[in-house]
Amino acid sequence: MIEILFYILSAVTLGSAFLTILSKNPIHSAIWLVVCFFSIAGHYALLNSQFLAMVHIIVYSGAIMILMLFTIMLMNLNISDEIAKPVVTKIVATVCFCLIGFFLVSSLAQTAPALESYSTTGVDFQSIQVLGKVLLNEFVVPFEMAAVLLLMAMIGAVLISKKDKKTA
């Protein structure tokens, strides 16, 4: 049953990711991205990491998608206003994408298997208590740096919105 659910979630994740890229309407793209985020949270739940699944839904599907939708609405994207790209630009972009993909796949194929690097100490990293101890003991500096970065982003957003109201 878990394997069938995994394949269903994988198909939904890949399908919604492709539809995110291929959708012409930016709002439809954002909705497909939300579907992709929810299916990734389903993968976390399958890995018995319910806390990470809930945080993923709250942070990505909630907060970030709302910010993206506000950005899309503020930019007022219209397909009729879009300038058509020359064929040469599309060909160069496709070739660059294929080269980068080839280099990524070849570098991943040359790396060691990930199973050798896992710790087999028996510590349950799925519990919130262990996660809190790890975050606030071993990774306290990156954790605080992320908090400061989010605070600076919030202050920047407030300043930009105040500046726009003065010019309007």
Side-chain angles (χ1 to χ4, degrees), residues 10 24 30 34 63 72 84 97 126 128 133 137 151 155:
S10 297
K24 297 287 184 187
V34 167
I72 289 170
F97 173 77
Q126 303 299 327
I128 298 171
K133 284 182 182 177
N137 288 335
L151 178 66
I155 292 171

Side-chain angles (χ1 to χ4, degrees), residues 29-48:
S29 253
I31 291 170
W32 284 117
L33 192 58
V34 167
V35 172
C36 186
F37 285 156
F38 271 99
S39 61
I40 290 173
H43 283 287
Y44 289 141
L46 280 179
L47 291 170
N48 200 21

Side-chain angles (χ1 to χ4, degrees), residues 47 112-123 125-126:
L47 291 170
L115 293 176
E116 295 173 2
S117 64
Y118 283 136
S119 172
T120 56
T121 59
V123 178
F125 286 106
Q126 303 299 327

Side-chain angles (χ1 to χ4, degrees), residues 84-121:
K85 307 243 186 316
V87 176
V88 175
T89 306
K90 293 179 182 180
I91 292 173
V92 170
T94 305
V95 169
C96 289
F97 173 77
C98 291
L99 285 174
I100 289 172
F102 173 74
F103 286 129
L104 283 173
V105 168
S106 64
S107 65
L108 286 174
Q110 294 175 359
T111 58
L115 293 176
E116 295 173 2
S117 64
Y118 283 136
S119 172
T120 56
T121 59

Side-chain angles (χ1 to χ4, degrees), residues 42-58:
H43 283 287
Y44 289 141
L46 280 179
L47 291 170
N48 200 21
S49 181
Q50 292 84 10
F51 175 71
L52 191 56
M54 286 299 116
V55 168
H56 186 81
I57 288 173
I58 291 168

